[in-house]
Amino acid sequence: GEDVEQSLFLSVREGDSSVINCTYTDSSSTYLYWYKQEPGAGLQLLTYIFSNMDMKQDQRLTVLLNKKDKHLSLRIADTQTGDSAIYFCAETNNNDMRFGAGTRLTVKP
Amino acid sequence: GAVVSQHPSWVICKSGTSVKIECRSLDFQATTMFWYRQFPKQSLMLMATSNEGSKATYEQGVEKDKFLINHASLTLSTLTVTSAHPEDSSFYICSATQGIDTEAFFGQGTRLTVV
């Protein structure tokens, strides 16, 4: 079946930029999402991108989509300790939705 | 990674009937399970959070009597859509965690169609 993969861990220093990467296999994806999960909480939608877009920027967040390579990334500028969480990428083709395993972002002071 | 099995993957039911969706953690004990719903062309909406042995915590706007959640064991949570109507047709997905600050693993999702 279709798959979504992302690296499991990322550690950065406060103030640096964080880049979380994700690859997927479904060529019929329509929307791609980034979610944040804080301890004990459900998913929080951070941002999403439509599959015909290359880039989307929202304050400190920048999403880049390379549809040819099926590669999605989330860049967090000026990373803060409050950004420490697990980040999930997900994609949908309007029939169902698939998630990556999540990337644990640790921000060191 | 850990495996979460959701069943059924597809279900079609008649209006007025009830449908039960199961979410099982196959190789770990899930102290917390989350239930989400996805509307067409939209993102996931968190419906409720359930902790083993206690009542589920529902998000605002989600009807408790309509969407019954039971988390009776550390490996199984169920979502029952009662008296289903066509507007309940959606994609429902569960996720499970072993505890606070641990990864969440997702089921395959259930496509519910109410006719």
Side-chain angles (χ1 to χ4, degrees), chain B residues 9-71:
Chain B
S9 298
W10 294 83
V11 58
I12 300 174
C13 70
K14 291 185 177 179
S15 287
T17 62
S18 294
V19 174
K20 181 185 284 188
I21 302 169
E22 292 187 348
C23 181
R24 292 181 185 272
S25 56
L26 298 185
D27 52 2
F28 68 101
Q29 293 186 324
T31 54
T32 305
M33 287 191 175
F34 302 93
W35 285 97
Y36 299 88
R37 177 177 179 178
Q38 185 201 18
F39 294 93
K41 300 183 181 181
Q42 295 185 34
S43 177
L44 289 182
M45 179 192 80
L46 176 64
M47 299 175 68
T49 303
S50 76
N51 293 293
E52 185 266 338
S54 61
K55 289 184 179 180
T57 302
Y58 288 81
E59 296 297 302
Q60 193 173 7
V62 178
E63 298 176 61
K64 301 178 184 181
D65 297 330
K66 174 87 175 157
F67 299 99
L68 300 178
I69 291 172
N70 184 285
H71 191 165

Side-chain angles (χ1 to χ4, degrees), chain A residues 31 33 35 37 39-43 45 86 88 92 94-97 99 101 104, chain B residues 34 36 38 40-44 46 91 93 97 100-104 106 108 111:
Chain A
Y31 288 92
Y33 304 91
Y35 291 90
Q37 185 188 34
L43 295 181
L45 177 66
I86 300 174
F88 292 88
T92 182
N94 291 335
N95 286 319
D96 49 24
M97 200 162 182
F99 288 81
R104 181 181 294 279
Chain B
F34 302 93
Y36 299 88
Q38 185 201 18
K41 300 183 181 181
Q42 295 185 34
S43 177
L44 289 182
L46 176 64
F91 184 70
I93 193 165
T97 74
I100 293 175
D101 203 28
T102 61
E103 288 86 348
F106 289 85
Q108 307 95 314
R111 169 72 55 189

Side-chain angles (χ1 to χ4, degrees), chain A residues 11 13-14 21 46 50 53 55 60 63 79 91 103 108:
Chain A
S11 180
R13 293 212 174 273
E14 192 173 15
N21 294 301
L46 286 179
F50 189 50
M53 298 169 62
M55 186 182 84
R60 291 192 297 125
V63 178
T79 313
E91 59 91 11
T103 299
K108 298 178 180 177

Side-chain angles (χ1 to χ4, degrees), chain A residues 41-59:
Chain A
L43 295 181
Q44 171 197 356
L45 177 66
L46 286 179
T47 187
Y48 67 94
I49 189 168
F50 189 50
S51 60
N52 68 353
M53 298 169 62
D54 298 324
M55 186 182 84
K56 181 178 180 180
Q57 188 155 1
D58 183 3
Q59 298 182 331

